[in-house]
Each structure stands twice: as C-alpha cells, then as structure tokens.
Amino acid sequence: DGFSADRLFNQGYSYTYDDVIFLPHYIDFPTDAVNLSTKLTKNIDLYIPCVSSPMDTVTESSMAVAMAALGGIGIIHYNNLPFEQAALIRSAKSRRIPLISDPIFKSPSDSIDSIDEFASSPCVFVTESGNSKSKLLGVVSKSDWESLTDKETPVSDFMLGSPVSAPSKYSFEQAAAFLAAKKLDYVPLVREHDGEVVDLFTTHDVQRIHGYPKLGLPSLGPDGEFMVGAAVGTREQDKERLEHLVKAGANVVVLDSSQGNSIYQIEMIKYVKRTYPELDVIGGNVVTVYQAQNLIQAGADALRVGMGSGSICTTQEVCAAGRGQATAVYKVSSIAEQSGVPVIADGGIANSGHIVKALVLGASTVMMGSFLAGSNEAPGAYDYQDGCRIKKYRGMGSLEAMTKGSDARYLGDTSKLKVAQGVVGAVADKGSVLKFIPYSMQAVKQGFQDLGASSLQSAHDLLRTKVLRLEVRTGAAQVEGGVHNLVSYTKKSF
Ligand code: XMP
C-alpha cells in the first residue's frame, strides 16, 4: 500500500511538505512515550528538535533564552556589528530564566521625565553609566517618583540605595522563592562576576511563567550556561567576527548562505575546524546530494537544508534555483545519515504536521522563522493593523534587511546593484513561544504515534526499511486535508 520514500522521491518531481502525506502505521505505545530528543550537530544534543532562525526579526537574546529553556536552541543573527552580536550572545548566556524584560537605566544625575518611563517596568535602575554596564547603585520605584513634588530632582536624591539583588544564574524556582521569602514585588538579576544588571524579575513573571506548560530540560552547554548559536558569513572579515562570537561563548556557528556549496564556505568550514577544533560548525544551505557531499567532506558538523522554501523567500523566483522542501530534506538526509551528519530542515514550517514530515523524512531538527516570528520573544514591538496585533517579519534577503548589512548571505556584497531575494511582511501576535512550542511538540508526538515511531531514530529506520509508506496528495486531496466547506461565523450570530 502506498509508496516507499525511496520510490516516491525518485520520480523527477520536487515535492514540498503539503504535497506528501504519510499512511498511518501501527500504535503500540502512548503519546508520552514518544521521545523527541535529537542531535543539532555531531556533538550537540537537544531535548526538542527546534531551532530558531538567524533572522533579525526572529532571534536575539530573548528568543535564544526561550529556545534554550525549552530544550531547543536559538541562532543569533548577524545583521549587526560583531560586538553587538557578541553582546546578544553574552546576554543570553548569562540568563537562566526566559524573561522578556527591558529594564530602564538612569545615571545618578538624571531625572525622570514622565510616568511613561514606568510603562513597561515597575522601577528604574540607577547605575554610574546610566546603562547596564556598570554596578547597580540604586532603584527608583514608581511610587517614589509619584510622591516627589519637584519632578526634576536627580534620581540620586531619592533612589533606594544598596538595593537587594539576586544572582542572574538563579533558576526560575530559585528566583520565585527569593521574591516570596523577601516579600518583594521585583528584584534585579545581577551577573556575579561584573555586577551587570541582566534582567528584572517580577511577581508578574512568576504568574506568567506558572501559566505556561511546565518546562522540560533546558539546553545547557559544558559551561552550565544556556546553549546559544550564532550565524556568520564566509567573507574574510567574518573571521574577525567569528573570534568575537567564540569569545562571547557561542556553542555553535552557522555559516549563513542561501547556496552553501561554494569555495568560500568550504574554506570557511576548514578554517573554523582548524582554528576552533572544539566549535561545531553548521554548513549550508544545501538541497542536493552533490552540495551536501562537498560540505560533509569539508568537515561540516551538520547541514542546513532548504533553498527558497521559506515563507518570505523569493530565491526560487529570482534565481530559478532551489528544490521542494520535502524532496530536499529526504535527499540530503539520506546521504548525510551515512556520515552521521545531522540535518536541519530550514524553512517552510507552517504547522506541526510540517514538523512531523521534516523529521520523519530524515531531518534531526527543524529551523523556523515565521513560525516563531510574532511571538513575545521575537525582536521588535507589536503594531496594530485592522484590529490585529502584528509584528514585523522580514526576509534577510529583502532590500530592507540588506540595507542593514545582510547582503553577504545572498552574495550581493561586491555588487552595486542589490537584487532582493526576500520580502518584508508581518505576522499576527502568537503569544509566547513558551506556550505554543510545548503544544506543538505534543502535536508532533501524536503524529509520531500515528506512524508507530517512538523516536526520531525509529522514524528514520521505518522510512529507510520501507515500512513507512507515503503518497502524493492531489490538489483536491490537499483541500480535503484542510478545513473546508464551512462558512465563517462569529458566536454572536447564533
Ligand atoms: P520560514 O518559512 O520559517 O523560513 O519563515 C525561514 C528561512 O527562510 C530563509 N530566509 C530567506 N530565504 N530570502 C530567501 O530566499 C530571504 O530573504 C530569506 N530570509 C530568510 C532562511 O533560511 C530562514 O531560516
């Protein structure tokens, strides 16, 4: 019944996730017996197969912290200066709690202009430099400021000196217990070795995080800190950036290119392995066996797969190169598996079914952009459009992102004429990844159960041994597989 993957993907068609469907198999274990732990690279293990994409509207510190807290990993983008990217890595690595706090800082001689300064924070921190980089001198709360008659009074005159703080290494449970024991509404979390204020932890965070599904095991590096990845290009000057990233503690680097099978990337992989033998390097992007073989031979510790499959990508239209993502993942995984090189299925993930398909077709992890964009942890502020809360999401090959510096990914760096390979858009507010990723993982486990696979390895074995069968869905079958034949209604009309 149905086709083996080997037969289905060797007919000369390029299939994407929606084109194919697995035939259900046999269930002899409960959903919770499904184990989604996996490998990001040859040497890095993850508890969940989720990676956030190195895009400037997806992964900065808050996303990296949340992904690591969930047992996945975030890859910090490099559409910034090397020291800025390094600061984002350091900031993520010095935290242990997935907060989205944005503490406000003042220097002692500053005053507080208006109540708006307390809009997103119950207090203002006072440091010598007026930013997080120097020791905490005092704290000003909203009520302290409200009781002032002369609002121009410098903060040093009415701040609470020697404020209580807690170590930034505290886990959520430790920090929550600390607040409760000291009967505080908030506490600054301070990095022990340099006194830098890393976060503001409040009773509101305690309630918020308690409301989410319980966190599993986090992704911790050998240093005991959250694991964080970083993207880097393959130009000569990227070697200097790489040094910043390594010094900041990046656990893995992604060589970011839309067509990774190039002399530049091969030389960069060799350079990374030669210069930083302990650092794992992810090569890509690739979609063919030939491309994959070259990068594996060069020493890549994992391969990132996908060309033009991303929701904001126009590469296939602009350059006429790429591949349907299901075919690309299957083909590259088949060859990478022989060398023990994990595959990251990058782009095109729009629902949990796509994650199941990517993983069963051979990937070890999925990398997501739009699926995570619009979340509380994604960079940028929310905006409103037609009554909808939205956040910007843009391709790194869009003119807007390239103007900020990401053009090297699309090999446009030496050209005076920039051609966009991506677009700028927006996605709806999705809430916190701490909530929707655990739900998505539960859905993925149910998908694995339907296929009789209790782990990624068992899914890959069932596919390779032709036990798992697939079919191509016609256009009508795809319509049937989605919600159909309903009229939209609001509760009001009943
Ligand atoms: P999703 O579908 O998750 O895709 O939003 C994210 C992936 O898309 C790639 N990417 C791009 N591809 N033009 C492209 O052709 C772009 O401007 C662009 N920006 C990101 C990237 O691989 C990312 O992980």
Side-chain angles (χ1 to χ4, degrees):
D1 208 0
F3 283 50
S4 67
D6 182 38
R7 188 158 161 223
L8 191 97
F9 290 111
N10 279 304
Q11 303 182 105
Y13 292 103
S14 202
Y15 293 124
T16 193
Y17 297 133
D18 280 338
D19 291 320
V20 297
I21 193 80
F22 291 110
L23 304 188
H25 193 45
Y26 177 69
I27 299 175
D28 56 0
F29 51 83
T31 317
D32 285 336
V34 176
N35 180 353
L36 294 179
S37 64
T38 187
K39 278 196 168 304
L40 172 73
T41 61
K42 281 184 190 166
N43 304 303
I44 295 181
D45 296 323
L46 298 178
Y47 294 104
I48 63 165
C50 297
V51 185
S52 70
S53 177
M55 299 173 74
D56 60 7
T57 49
V58 179
T59 313
E60 291 192 341
S61 307
S62 294
M63 181 64 79
V65 169
M67 293 304 289
L70 287 162
I73 192 167
I75 313 292
I76 308 254
H77 73 88
Y78 71 121
N79 209 12
N80 44 22
L81 295 171
F83 82 88
E84 292 171 329
Q85 190 184 14
L88 292 172
I89 296 169
R90 280 203 187 89
S91 155
K93 289 190 74 74
S94 51
R95 300 170 190 209
R96 283 305 300 274
I97 309 174
L99 300 173
I100 318 155
S101 80
D102 198 5
I104 315 280
F105 292 92
K106 293 276 176 191
S107 71
S109 57
D110 288 340
S111 53
I112 293 172
D113 302 332
S114 87
I115 195 141
D116 292 349
E117 305 221 26
F118 295 98
S120 60
S121 171
C123 65
V124 166
F125 293 135
V126 184
T127 64
E128 204 53 59
S129 57
N131 59 38
S132 67
K133 302 273 177 259
S134 52
K135 219 169 151 305
L136 184 66
L137 300 174
V139 173
V140 172
S141 69
K142 192 172 161 188
S143 55
D144 296 336
W145 181 80
E146 278 173 332
S147 59
L148 273 185
T149 36
D150 177 7
K151 299 292 189 215
E152 293 195 349
T153 311
V155 287
S156 56
D157 288 3
F158 66 102
M159 70 184 186
L160 169 72
S162 321
V164 180
S165 64
S168 62
K169 283 280 165 291
Y170 265 12
S171 65
F172 169 68
E173 287 75 19
Q174 285 172 308
F178 185 88
L179 276 188
K182 304 245 180 244
K183 297 195 173 34
L184 295 170
D185 287 332
Y186 56 81
V187 64
L189 299 178
V190 171
R191 197 154 60 194
E192 276 165 310
H193 68 267
D194 58 6
E196 189 169 312
V197 180
V198 163
D199 257 323
L200 167 66
F201 186 66
T202 68
T203 44
H204 174 70
D205 293 312
V206 177
Q207 287 154 11
R208 188 176 59 90
I209 294 175
H210 267 145
Y212 296 145
K214 201 168 160 18
L215 288 168
L217 291 168
S219 304
L220 301 179
D223 48 10
E225 298 183 334
F226 275 154
M227 259 202 292
V228 176
V232 65
T234 53
R235 297 172 297 182
E236 201 45 41
Q237 64 262 42
D238 286 307
K239 291 181 179 164
E240 202 187 314
R241 180 183 284 267
L242 187 61
E243 206 180 314
H244 281 275
L245 306 182
V246 172
K247 281 196 184 135
N251 297 88
V252 56
V253 288
V254 172
L255 301 189
D256 193 38
S257 169
S258 56
Q259 207 292 50
N261 187 25
S262 67
I263 188 165
Y264 316 110
Q265 178 154 150
I266 287 171
E267 283 176 0
M268 191 65 158
I269 293 174
K270 289 182 180 162
Y271 172 82
V272 177
K273 298 283 19 160
R274 209 172 45 238
T275 320
Y276 309 100
E278 303 288 304
L279 183 67
D280 272 20
V281 55
I282 298 172
N285 281 24
V286 295
V287 290
T288 71
V289 167
Y290 167 61
Q291 288 180 298
Q293 277 167 331
N294 275 350
L295 300 194
I296 291 171
Q297 221 169 24
D301 296 302
L303 291 176
R304 192 172 161 205
V305 174
M307 189 176 189
S309 53
S311 59
I312 31 53
C313 300
T314 53
T315 296
Q316 291 189 7
E317 282 165 14
V318 174
C319 301
R323 201 169 206 179
Q325 188 65 347
T327 304
V329 169
Y330 175 72
K331 289 284 187 180
V332 174
S333 300
S334 314
I335 193 78
E337 194 182 24
Q338 292 169 19
S339 316
V341 174
V343 158
I344 303 165
D346 173 25
I349 299 292
N351 53 48
S352 58
H354 290 162
I355 301 179
V356 174
K357 286 175 183 174
L359 297 176
V360 174
L361 289 175
S364 293
T365 53
V366 290
M367 180 179 275
M368 298 167 287
S370 70
F371 199 72
L372 304 172
S375 64
N376 299 162
E377 290 79 4
Y382 284 107
D383 203 349
Y384 287 88
Q385 191 178 290
D386 303 329
C388 227
R389 228 164 95 94
I390 54 167
K391 238 187 213 191
K392 185 188 267 188
Y393 177 52
R394 67 182 182 195
M396 297 308 290
S398 63
L399 280 182
E400 197 183 276
M402 286 202 290
T403 307
K404 240 200 111 195
S406 73
D407 45 4
R409 180 174 209 267
Y410 300 90
L411 298 180
D413 50 336
T414 50
S415 168
K416 288 197 178 65
L417 301 176
K418 290 191 196 303
V419 177
Q421 289 186 41
V423 296
V424 181
V427 290
D429 177 9
K430 297 198 182 79
S432 173
V433 297
L434 298 174
K435 189 165 183 182
F436 70 79
I437 288 292
Y439 278 100
S440 304
M441 289 304 101
Q442 191 61 18
V444 169
K445 285 183 179 180
Q446 287 176 11
F448 269 62
Q449 187 193 31
D450 285 340
L451 303 181
S454 58
S455 67
L456 269 72
Q457 189 56 54
S458 89
H460 295 171
D461 291 344
L462 289 172
L463 194 80
R464 194 174 25 82
T465 54
K466 306 186 179 178
V467 175
L468 264 190
R469 316 294 284 181
L470 300 91
E471 276 170 358
V472 171
R473 296 198 293 180
T474 61
Q478 288 184 43
V479 172
E480 186 188 61
V483 176
H484 58 278
N485 291 354
L486 293 177
V487 291
S488 66
Y489 82 94
T490 51
K491 275 200 177 126
K492 246 187 346 219
S493 57
F494 279 79

